[in-house]
Amino acid sequence: MPLKLSDATVSTFDSVFEKFRAEAPKNKVDLILFLADKDPSTSLSWCPDCVKAEPVIYKRLEAAAGDVALLRAYVGDRPTWRAPKHPWRVDSRFKITGVPTLVRWENDAVKGRLEDYEAHVENKIDALVSGN
C-alpha cells in the first residue's frame, strides 16, 4: 500500500492543505498528523510523545490496505506551540490541544482523532484508518 506523505509548517499549511484536499478522492483514507518540530541539534522531536508515536504510526499506515495520504503538520518549536493563540489550537477545524494528534480527514471535516496520550496505540491507529 502506498503511503503518500506531504509536509507542512504553520506558514505553508494552507497551500499544502489545499493540494491534500484536492487529492483526497483518490485515496482510501486521508490523515493529518500534527507533530512537534525536530530539534536541529539532535534530529529528534522536542516532544517525547512524538518520538514514541511516529514510528508506530508509520508502521501501521504502511501495513494498511489501500492508498493512505498523510499530511505531517509541524507545529513549531516548543515556545511557538505553547502559545495559547497557536493557529491550530484556535482553528475551528482542528482544535489541537496536544502533539502528536492524528486526525482522519473525510468529507472536508475531522471524522476521528487520536490525541497525544493514545496516538502510539496500534489498535487505535488501525481503527482510525479503517473508520471504526
Side-chain angles (χ1 to χ4, degrees), residues 28-131:
K28 176 187 175 202
V29 65
D30 296 294
L31 302 166
I32 306 169
L33 177 58
F34 293 90
L35 293 165
D37 282 16
K38 306 247 186 261
D39 179 336
S41 65
T42 64
S43 296
L44 294 175
S45 172
W46 57 258
C47 165
D49 291 336
C50 295
V51 171
K52 180 179 181 180
E54 260 192 288
V56 179
I57 291 168
Y58 300 144
K59 179 178 117 181
R60 298 314 308 150
L61 297 184
E62 288 168 359
D67 291 340
V68 175
L70 178 65
L71 170 55
R72 295 181 293 199
Y74 291 94
V75 300
D77 61 14
R78 188 184 308 259
T80 301
W81 171 242
R82 294 279 185 232
K85 297 289 185 193
H86 187 286
W88 295 327
R89 288 185 185 278
V90 297
D91 189 317
S92 62
R93 296 171 296 180
F94 306 117
K95 298 177 189 154
I96 303 302
T97 60
V99 288
T101 295
L102 182 64
V103 299
R104 182 182 175 110
W105 187 259
E106 188 177 306
N107 298 321
D108 238 11
V110 172
K111 294 297 182 187
R113 69 191 307 131
L114 297 177
E115 303 286 345
D116 51 353
Y117 59 89
E118 61 189 350
H120 67 283
V121 180
E122 290 190 21
N123 65 328
K124 290 188 177 199
I125 297 166
D126 294 344
L128 185 70
V129 170
S130 67

